[in-house]
Amino acid sequence: MNTLLGRRTRVLAATTATAGLVLVAVSASGCTSTDDGGSGTKTAAGGVELVKAGQLTTCTHLPYPPFQSEIDGKVQGFDVSLIDLVAKDLGVQQDILDQPFENFKTGGSLNAGQCDLAAAGMTITEERKKNVDFSDPYFDATQAVLVDKKAGVGSLADVKSKKVALGAQAQTTGEDYAKSQGFDPVSFESSDAVLNGLRSGQVKAVVIDYPVVQGWLKNKANADAFEVADNINTGEQYGFTVKKGNTKLLAAINKALADARADGTYKKLYEQWIGPYDESAASASPSAS
């Protein structure tokens, strides 16, 4: 995850237990997923092999609006809508598994056969390419520095010079960037936790993907309390991931993305979930997966 110019009474929850991981599965329609006991074929259109018959299983980390979050009991967002296009091409339904980001960043969930792909606002990096294969980039991302208006800072440099407490989401490129600039940021497990850290005063500034910040600032209370002090263009791009060597599914994802750009669907979804359309987001050069 990064930052772009950017997931509680919850039916859906991801819990990291002391001894391991509790997985919660939901479909895009909000229903709990069930295994059909192995009945039916696990081969979809184009010869794509799936971990479960009749569904394209997506690993993600909730909440991470506007890319994926639970809205009115249904998991929705930009990533969800794009992967729905892939599922439609394959003739199946998308089903979503909520997991800690680390699980699929390292390829663990994919290698264990828990999901077919991961969609979580994930930045394409050379380090991550060692563990997973990335789709063509579907989003250009920048980092934002969001600060408490009362903190009296106007840039990331101010955060450092005035020794303002800085936070970031764990296991993200935002956290990595902060550390590369000499910070020791307070690490939060989710974007919700990052925002709560700001609200509670645990931190006075955070580095996180800009689309996430955009979503937060649509709330008047947040807009009254916080402001963007800095934007950091780190040249990051988001990609979807599959198990290394899963060339058929990767091709299906890339085809769906290309078709969506060509027929205007990408622009429509971008404006629905992100905001004013940025042409550069649709013309990002393919990554060397």
Side-chain angles (χ1 to χ4, degrees), residues 3 33 47 56 60 84 93 109 119-120 133 142 145 162 172 174 193 224 229 250 253 268 275:
T3 76
S33 100
L56 182 64
T60 194
D84 275 342
Q93 297 291 318
S109 300
D133 284 343
T142 62
V145 180
K162 297 184 178 183
T172 66
D224 288 344
L250 195 64
I253 295 170
K268 178 181 178 181

Side-chain angles (χ1 to χ4, degrees), residues 2 105 122-132 134 173 176 236-237:
N2 309 330
K105 184 186 80 169
M122 190 186 304
T123 303
I124 300 169
T125 69
E126 293 304 315
E127 183 64 27
R128 292 172 182 174
K129 285 182 183 180
K130 297 175 183 178
N131 302 313
V132 296
F134 276 94
T173 51
D176 291 342
E236 299 174 32
Q237 293 179 311

